[in-house]
Amino acid sequence: MRIETLSVFPEMFEPVMSTSILGRARRMGLFDFHAYDLRDWTHDRHRTVDDAPFGGGQGMLMKVEPIAEALDDLIARGPRPHIVFFTPCGTPFSQKSAERLAKRERVLFVCGRYEGIDERAYAYADERISLGDYVLTGGELAAMVVTDAVVRLIPGALGDEMSSVDESFSTGAGGGLLEYAQYTRPADFRGETVPEVLLSGDHAKVAAWRRSNALERTVAWRPDLLEGADLTPEERARAADLLRAREGAPKDEGGC
Ligand code: ADE
């Protein structure tokens, strides 16, 4: 897989792309990364990439010509990239989006800055992604977050190929539920003990406890996920019971 970014701050990427799991996956050749400098497609002495918006208003907009020229050039190098623009107006990013992007051969992220991008540049967008309902100073951090979520799904990137399957939100063995609680040594920490079943060595019982715990946590913290989750009729009935029992119960703020 090849991941490329187009931005005015290409130097932001290297520390993230060469550290930890991303760095190792890149060195293993599991993905190839390149950050392009948008100013390389400008033609004036000041390497101008922004201008004032027509109609007035605060701040500056990114100009369409450097983006269009850069994308024409990068597209011509082939194979045809899947082009993603980052903007708070985009589709909210999710694990499903990451799974979809991880299947692409070449992904090109366009990172905006300033008050936005000239609307005509979006003619190149295969999709617009938002990281959430808040405004960042630019798309670079969004591109890094998405790259991280995508690369860890590439087979071999995590070392243990199963470990991205049953985690929170995964549409794999996790079935769209939050991930179950996990523990490591010591078995007793200040009187807080690990559930007995996890110490039993009985793999079937451990798997059943985890599934049940994942369901309970999803009911408690993210009931909105239940509708899209892959549940058996028995699990659905249990989720309904748990939800009813929670009505009127004190709020559990959650977090996993
Ligand atoms: N650029 C600025 N804010 C953003 C957001 N929330 N998501 C993606 N790109 C952005």
Side-chain angles (χ1 to χ4, degrees):
M1 174 176 205
R2 181 165 173 79
I3 298 178
E4 292 157 304
T5 58
L6 180 64
S7 95
V8 287
F9 292 115
E11 68 277 12
M12 283 178 72
F13 293 93
E14 195 50 42
V16 170
M17 296 304 157
S18 56
T19 305
S20 186
I21 304 235
L22 293 193
R24 191 187 59 188
R26 197 168 160 210
R27 287 189 292 277
M28 284 166 73
L30 296 179
F31 81 107
D32 185 27
F33 177 81
H34 194 92
Y36 295 100
D37 187 345
L38 181 64
R39 294 187 198 278
D40 289 346
W41 284 274
T42 57
H43 304 288
D44 63 312
R45 207 158 49 90
H46 302 291
R47 295 166 45 94
T48 307
V49 292
D50 61 334
D51 207 341
F54 282 124
Q58 290 253 302
M60 301 288 268
L61 279 185
M62 286 179 78
K63 291 165 67 61
V64 62
E65 304 103 305
I67 295 175
E69 283 189 36
L71 292 178
D72 286 342
D73 205 3
L74 295 172
I75 290 167
R77 296 178 195 182
R80 175 74 168 87
H82 183 73
I83 300 178
V84 176
F85 279 58
F86 288 107
T87 158
C89 302
T91 308
F93 186 60
S94 66
Q95 190 64 23
K96 268 205 184 73
S97 330
E99 288 167 10
R100 232 177 351 86
L101 288 175
K103 296 192 182 106
R104 299 270 175 191
E105 182 184 1
R106 185 181 176 205
V107 178
L108 175 47
F109 295 129
V110 181
C111 309
R113 276 267 149 189
Y114 316 114
E115 292 305 309
I117 300 179
D118 186 308
E119 191 61 26
R120 292 165 292 184
Y122 288 105
Y124 286 88
D126 292 308
E127 64 178 309
R128 306 181 195 204
I129 289 180
S130 164
L131 227 53
D133 291 343
Y134 44 81
V135 181
L136 301 168
T137 53
E140 290 84 357
L141 288 170
M144 286 187 251
V145 167
V146 171
T147 299
D148 187 281
V150 167
V151 168
R152 61 190 294 291
L153 295 175
I154 299 175
L158 294 179
D160 169 7
E161 298 217 358
M162 286 307 291
S163 50
S164 72
V165 169
D166 58 359
E167 63 198 5
S168 297
F169 315 114
S170 162
T171 54
L177 296 176
L178 295 181
E179 194 178 36
Y180 46 79
Q182 304 213 69
Y183 304 86
T184 185
R185 283 182 289 193
D188 183 331
F189 174 67
R190 299 178 182 171
E192 284 280 340
T193 56
V194 172
E196 274 297 319
V197 58
L198 300 180
L199 312 176
S200 69
D202 183 331
H203 296 304
K205 279 199 181 135
V206 168
W209 181 87
R210 287 180 168 166
R211 181 75 187 172
S212 164
N213 182 257
L215 186 66
E216 287 165 12
R217 285 152 63 101
T218 309
V219 167
W221 299 336
R222 291 293 305 276
D224 57 299
L225 296 175
L226 291 168
E227 199 183 318
D230 187 10
L231 301 179
T232 64
E234 292 75 30
E235 286 172 331
R236 224 162 253 297
R238 177 148 185 262
D241 285 347
L242 289 169
L243 276 171
R244 265 192 299 277
R246 285 188 69 76
E247 274 162 25
K251 241 199 165 1
D252 176 357
E253 290 304 327
C256 58

